[in-house]
Amino acid sequence: MKYTNVARRALALVCTAALAVIPVLGLTACGGPSDEELIKQTLTADLDAIKTVDEDTVKSMMGDSAVSEMETYGIDAFAFYTNCVKQFSYDNVDVTVDGDSATATLDVTNVDIEKVLTSWANDVSAYVTSQEAIDDYNNLGENGMMQKMLQQLTDALGASDAPTKTSSMSIDFTKGDDGWDLSDASQLSNLVFVGADLSGLGNL
């Protein structure tokens, strides 16, 4: 359905913006802290940036066309991003170095995206066959209905009683000529939403 495609697109943009503010690349130790401490210090500082990044940076990372697309459906890009990372936190960061490879493990908590999306999609499925939807279509039109549904998702993601999920996550690094680099950038994307599979949204 069209509304789930828009929601999935918006969530993917949140990952894009979050990853863009995490410059965990080229970590270099030059006679200072150990490799383990360097990775830990830099990783924690960069993860903190996920929640402290400003509106201009978020929108810049998403891109003008994507921000405009979201606004077409009544979604404020920064508000959506903020609600998606409102519950984001981490703890128990541990780094293990083995030669030219390193792994950082940490406990990550954030809103349980899959639960929120499932509940929202069920509510929307009930809504689109209701008298309320018929009235809204007559009064607001299709685009107005889309705005209403996606605003409900935005609110649900940022609700104080939104379900959360905590899981142990890991990020791998490889040492190159210029320092430590991420082995797989997709691990950071998984980390933002605590391993949630956003591809399943299309089946809701």
Side-chain angles (χ1 to χ4, degrees):
M1 290 185 182
K2 185 177 181 181
Y3 63 85
T4 58
N5 290 335
V6 174
R8 182 168 53 184
R9 169 68 173 153
L11 290 166
L13 290 171
V14 168
C15 283
T16 298
L19 296 183
V21 302
I22 304 177
V24 193
L25 294 170
L27 309 180
T28 305
C30 298
S34 64
D35 285 343
E36 289 89 347
E37 194 59 29
L38 174 74
I39 293 173
K40 182 176 180 179
Q41 289 176 358
T42 307
L43 180 60
T44 56
D46 290 341
L47 291 177
D48 288 344
I50 290 177
K51 295 187 70 170
T52 60
V53 63
D54 61 71
E55 181 173 359
D56 288 343
T57 300
V58 168
K59 291 185 175 181
S60 174
M61 294 304 100
M62 288 184 172
D64 291 341
S65 62
V67 170
S68 295
E69 177 187 354
M70 295 173 73
E71 290 176 347
T72 297
Y73 298 109
I75 306 175
D76 180 275
F78 186 63
F80 192 86
Y81 174 91
T82 300
N83 281 3
C84 284
V85 300
K86 181 179 179 180
Q87 305 281 5
F88 179 81
S89 64
Y90 63 91
D91 198 7
N92 300 323
V93 181
D94 184 65
V95 177
T96 301
V97 174
D98 182 9
D100 291 338
S101 300
T103 299
T105 59
L106 61 164
D107 296 330
V108 180
T109 298
N110 200 2
V111 60
D112 192 325
I113 292 290
E114 290 173 303
K115 283 186 177 180
V116 170
L117 290 176
T118 298
S119 177
W120 171 74
N122 289 337
D123 289 344
V124 168
S125 294
Y127 163 72
V128 296
T129 59
S130 68
Q131 182 61 46
E132 179 185 0
I134 295 174
D135 293 340
D136 285 344
Y137 182 80
N138 291 330
N139 296 323
L140 305 174
E142 182 179 353
N143 199 58
M145 292 176 67
M146 285 281 289
Q147 290 184 15
K148 182 174 182 176
M149 290 184 287
L150 292 169
Q151 184 59 53
Q152 290 173 343
L153 174 60
T154 302
D155 294 342
L157 289 167
S160 58
D161 60 348
T164 60
K165 177 181 179 180
T166 300
S167 182
S168 178
M169 308 290 290
S170 63
I171 302 176
D172 297 320
F173 299 88
T174 302
K175 193 171 187 178
D177 294 338
D178 297 322
W180 292 95
D181 298 320
L182 288 169
S183 300
D184 182 358
S186 68
Q187 289 180 318
L188 281 175
S189 178
N190 290 334
L191 183 148
V192 174
F193 288 139
V194 201
D197 181 10
L198 301 183
S199 64
L201 178 56
N203 300 320
L204 294 176

